[in-house]
């Protein structure tokens, strides 16, 4: 999934990769493109993890893992960092997700379970701020329920904010006319994908021009 | 002559009172003013309201302050972490109040205090649990939520260099909330790795001008300390 | 007047001196006090004018005159500079004035004349933002009218914002119980000062404790 | 590879269209991007709305743009100056619209655009002519006025150093509105004294991160140019 997302990120793009699965996208960015990574704790031009022994506790990413800074990097405080997110300056962010709805609502910060300790971080800022919001998640829960839903049952992170969903089965655009499948893993039939999904989708490859 | 330098952390926090609201810099442990927090624990002030991005890591710093039962309420964006066991236990036991704030709202609400903004409209959080009960408004066809400043009596922050006027320069991503909290608190207290002579800091590169800082304490960085990689963050 | 203001500024104070007459206060600051001057165009720790020939067009004050930067100075952008003013961080500002009212309203930006081109700059930000607002002005207009008034007839800069007035005749505090004269030029009788003023004032030196 | 550098000022402003809103950096002449303005005049775009602290000094820069009758409206805080004769004449002739904004509101309204703030409450201007007709609100016993962001299609700014990613470092008080306008405009264009290789700017000292800048043009500072002291400001 991470590799598939990386292919869709343009040269020159400013990108924020969320904690967890999205972080892996960094390992797959095409070497012929210059893509500038933003981490909301105050660094633009984030580089890969340092060599063992070179970790600097003052140089970390949003997941609090040690990182490096590339030539051309800059440091800034949190208000400036979130201005980049909230002011619409990021071309793209990649977030994890519990659920995405047909309308593009995202749930990714809180299971809503009574004993859960909630934590939100910058997820809500990224959801409303980035020009394109990509969500990367398994197509189904471990119990076999679709994570793509008619309406989110978990507490939402943002409304109508998701542009594209990358799952282990397909790539799906959220459009004004509904969910459109633009790519599927090799060997998967659209009808099978539809059966595993909680909501109707259309097949961009099979369908004619959008209505 | 102006001299904002203090001899030790204990002196610098000596007037932090019971019930005070204290902003504490840092994102996880990067930029966390651990020695000032230790001094605050030794000082003994209780019933504190703490403003920090997280709610403590491991058993030191903010976690130690929580563990000592000095904190009535915490305002933060990301309490749940792989090593937030001190907070987790207090929270589940109902012994600490949590105000969860989206990280950008946390930063902007702190900035608003320092900048004299009475309140502001933000898109972040609209339609979510974290905006419940808050005033909303449609501006240019988009939904916004009204957010208010977070005020504080004290700020404890950490920087790399400071001088006797209170000018501060930070280090890498340890900068994070420091400049915002310095401007927001009625009394900002900075621990710095090194106090330098006035004029040694490049005026183009000072990040926090001294007007925002009341007290500066030199706490050298641990020399040759092993730099342990912090634990990996849980999925957001 | 400028010298009289300078005497009232404490060691360690952060001070903004407005354009014009207030700028002269800098020449009278007591040498045994360290006072940090702020100029709203982005400098804290402003020093005196440079020697002839050393002017730098990128280093100016709010009045666009060349200045210098002292050791310990810092540069910042306008939002940060005005945060210092609006966020209540300046101990004191010294402004010129057309009129000050009994309530401490200040008029200093616009004569209200039909053909006047208005200009406000940072006056309104200083008026509401500084902990103490000192106004320095002639006691009377050239036509012999008092500039201390019951209500401002010129457009106001801020309401109830002035703490103290320095004129060529007296120093007057704006207090909840009205205007209180705390100093007068040598040889001036209070009754004469009162005659030259547009509103009743009380003599702090003659009066007993405040009611 | 990312390369935001442009060969000349004319190329950098070639798409500024009639009716555009253009923020122009500078406080008086400090930080004024004169060569970009000259290129804009040569480009010929008309009916512009200009956002600048002042309304032109002497006959160059913003004043030259006004003199060429390219400006429909100016949003500024301090138009009337000893050397603002171009503006003064246009204004008295009713040939230019003026939106006068307190300087701090101007800065904060520009910042609000870059930071995604929908509107904010400020004390500045309450009870004055400049807040007439604006919404007000009492917050914690004090009066505030609601102010909205200022949006712009382009920003023309000036810095000391830039690199191909668009990172900028300014010079002394010429910094003023540059960082705010860069973040606010849809397309920020910077003229810099020198373009340096990527990595030469200290990441701790970059003032405007490249994400806010679309185009960078090198315009060397006039070498050995006589530095004339600007005229003294009129009384505020």
């Amino acid at each position: 999934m991470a590799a598939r997302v990386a292919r869709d990120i343009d040269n020159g793009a400013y990108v924020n990769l969320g904690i967890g699965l999205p972080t892996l996208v960094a390992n797959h960015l095409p070497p012929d493109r210059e893509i500038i990574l933003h981490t909301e704790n105050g660094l633009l031009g984030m580089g890969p993890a340092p060599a063992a022994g070179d970790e600097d506790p003052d140089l970390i990413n949003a997941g609090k893992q040690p990182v490096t800074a590339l030539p051309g990097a800059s440091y800034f405080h949190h208000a400036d960092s979130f201005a980049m997110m909230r002011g619409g300056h990021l071309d793209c962010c990649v977030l994890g997700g519990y659920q995405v709805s047909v309308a593009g609502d995202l749930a990714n910060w809180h299971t809503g379970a009574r004993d859960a300790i909630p934590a939100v971080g910058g997820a809500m800022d990224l959801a409303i701020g980035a020009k394109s919001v990509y969500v990367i998640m398994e197509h189904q829960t471990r119990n076999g329920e679709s994570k793509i839903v008619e309406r989110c049952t978990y507490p939402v992170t943002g409304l109508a904010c998701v542009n594209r969903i990358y799952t282990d089965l397909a790539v799906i655009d959220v459009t004004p006319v509904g969910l459109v499948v633009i790519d599927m893993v090799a060997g998967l039939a659209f009808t099978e994908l539809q059966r595993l999904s909680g909501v109707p989708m259309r097949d961009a490859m099979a369908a004619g021009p959008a209505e | 002559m102006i001299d904002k330098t203090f001899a030790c952390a204990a002196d610098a926090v000596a007037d932090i009172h019971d019930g005070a609201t204290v902003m504490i810099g840092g994102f996880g442990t990067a930029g966390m003013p651990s020695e000032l927090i230790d001094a605050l624990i030794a000082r003994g002030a209780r019933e504190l309201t703490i403003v920090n991005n997280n709610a403590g890591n491991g058993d030191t710093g903010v976690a130690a302050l929580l563990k000592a039962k000095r904190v009535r309420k915490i305002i933060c964006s990301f309490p749940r972490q792989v090593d937030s066991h001190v907070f987790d236990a207090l929270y589940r036991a109902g012994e600490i109040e949590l105000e969860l704030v989206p990280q950008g709202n946390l930063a902007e609400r702190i900035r608003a205090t320092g900048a004299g903004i009475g309140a502001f409209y933000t898109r972040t959080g609209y339609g979510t649990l974290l905006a419940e009960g808050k005033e909303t408004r449609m501006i240019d066809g988009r939904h916004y939520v009204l957010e208010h400043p977070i005020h504080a009596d004290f700020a404890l922050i950490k920087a790399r260099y400071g001088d006797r006027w209170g000018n501060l320069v930070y280090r890498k991503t340890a900068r994070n909330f420091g400049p915002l909290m310095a401007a927001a608190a009625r009394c900002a207290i900075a621990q710095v790795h090194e106090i330098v002579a006035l004029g040694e800091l490049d005026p183009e590169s000072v990040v926090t001008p001294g007007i925002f800082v009341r007290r500066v304490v030199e706490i050298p960085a641990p020399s040759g300390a092993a730099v342990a990689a912090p634990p990996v963050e849980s999925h957001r």
Side-chain angles (χ1 to χ4, degrees), chain A, chain B:
Chain A
M1 284 186 275
R4 184 62 187 76
V5 175
R7 267 171 36 207
D8 288 349
I9 299 179
D10 291 333
N11 181 57
Y14 290 93
V15 178
N16 183 297
L17 303 175
I19 294 173
L21 199 51
T23 303
L24 301 177
V25 173
N27 302 334
H28 298 278
L29 294 175
D32 60 334
R33 297 180 207 162
E34 204 170 27
I35 289 164
I36 301 182
L37 297 181
H38 170 262
T39 180
E40 60 256 43
N41 51 316
L43 167 62
L44 196 65
M46 180 171 66
D54 286 347
E55 296 90 351
D56 181 337
D58 286 346
L59 181 47
I60 58 176
N61 66 13
K64 306 194 177 74
Q65 298 164 299
V67 295
T68 51
L70 299 177
S74 51
Y75 298 110
F76 31 81
H77 61 55
H78 253 70
D80 284 348
S81 185
F82 279 78
M84 293 177 193
M85 299 154 74
R86 298 148 65 100
H89 305 281
L90 291 175
D91 293 295
C92 161
C93 75
V94 185
L95 294 170
Y98 297 148
Q99 292 176 327
V100 176
S101 80
V102 174
D105 299 349
L106 168 66
N108 82 338
W109 70 283
H110 192 4
T111 60
R114 272 192 59 188
D115 64 339
I117 296 177
V120 65
M124 290 184 179
D125 303 291
L126 286 167
I128 60 93
K131 288 175 195 156
S132 294
V133 174
Y134 295 167
V135 170
I136 180 170
M137 63 180 188
E138 300 291 323
H139 205 89
Q140 295 191 317
T141 66
R142 289 180 201 170
N143 298 331
E145 289 165 357
S146 175
K147 297 175 78 168
I148 301 171
V149 294
E150 185 60 36
R151 290 184 57 166
C152 292
T153 55
Y154 289 150
V156 297
T157 306
L159 301 177
C161 57
V162 177
N163 298 93
R164 186 174 286 176
I165 310 165
Y166 294 81
T167 78
D168 50 323
L169 301 181
V171 181
I172 302 146
D173 272 349
V174 180
T175 80
V177 295
L179 300 177
V180 177
V181 177
I182 60 167
D183 202 2
M184 284 185 289
V185 292
L188 181 67
F190 180 76
T191 49
E192 175 66 4
L193 178 70
Q194 183 61 78
R195 194 184 64 78
L196 298 169
S197 305
V199 295
M201 302 190 289
R202 73 175 63 191
D203 183 354
M205 277 120 7
E211 302 164 16
Chain B
M1 159 135 160
I2 299 168
D3 188 2
K4 299 183 180 179
T5 65
F6 273 59
C8 65
D11 289 356
V13 305
D15 57 350
I16 300 185
H17 51 275
D18 289 0
T21 296
V22 184
M23 294 178 168
I24 299 182
F27 181 87
T29 55
M32 185 186 286
S34 298
E35 285 77 3
L36 288 177
I37 297 171
D38 288 346
L40 175 58
I41 295 169
R43 153 86 182 138
R46 299 180 168 278
E47 295 290 317
L48 301 173
T49 294
I50 297 298
V51 183
N52 180 257
N53 187 63
N54 304 102
N57 301 77
D59 297 278
T60 59
V62 171
L65 188 66
L66 266 58
K67 200 170 185 177
K69 304 273 178 87
R70 306 297 166 74
V71 181
R72 186 184 68 74
K73 176 181 178 182
I74 190 158
I75 302 174
C76 71
S77 87
F78 210 82
R80 187 197 66 221
Q81 301 164 91
V82 289
D83 56 352
S84 60
H85 46 266
V86 172
F87 170 81
D88 296 359
L90 289 169
Y91 183 76
R92 290 187 204 282
E95 293 181 14
I96 192 165
E97 185 185 342
L98 169 66
E99 180 180 343
L100 190 70
V101 180
Q103 201 168 333
N105 285 357
L106 186 65
E108 193 71 17
R109 290 174 64 191
I110 296 170
R111 179 194 178 269
T113 303
I117 301 297
F120 60 89
Y121 289 97
T122 176
R123 293 180 59 214
T124 297
Y126 177 82
T128 76
L129 280 180
L130 299 187
E132 269 188 352
K134 298 195 175 189
E135 195 176 324
T136 63
R137 178 184 296 230
M138 179 85 86
I139 301 172
D140 288 343
R142 288 176 148 176
H143 293 288
Y144 288 82
V145 180
L146 186 65
E147 292 284 352
H148 285 82
I150 300 174
H151 298 279
D153 301 297
F154 296 90
L156 307 182
I157 63 173
K158 182 176 168 180
R160 182 171 198 175
Y161 299 112
D163 64 26
R164 67 176 174 84
W165 278 14
N167 292 308
L168 301 179
V169 169
Y170 300 83
R171 187 166 181 278
K172 302 188 178 180
T173 57
R175 183 183 304 193
N176 54 66
F177 284 92
L180 309 174
M181 291 178 171
R186 273 183 280 277
C187 176
I189 307 167
Q191 67 171 69
V192 301
H193 289 169
E194 193 182 343
I195 292 176
V196 300
L198 199 69
E200 279 197 26
L201 300 177
D202 179 356
E204 299 280 10
S205 304
V206 168
V207 174
T208 294
I211 192 170
F212 297 125
V213 177
R214 295 284 180 92
R215 302 169 189 172
V216 181
V217 190
E218 185 175 83
I219 309 280
S223 64
V227 172
V232 174
E233 193 52 71
S234 61
H235 174 68
R236 178 168 64 199

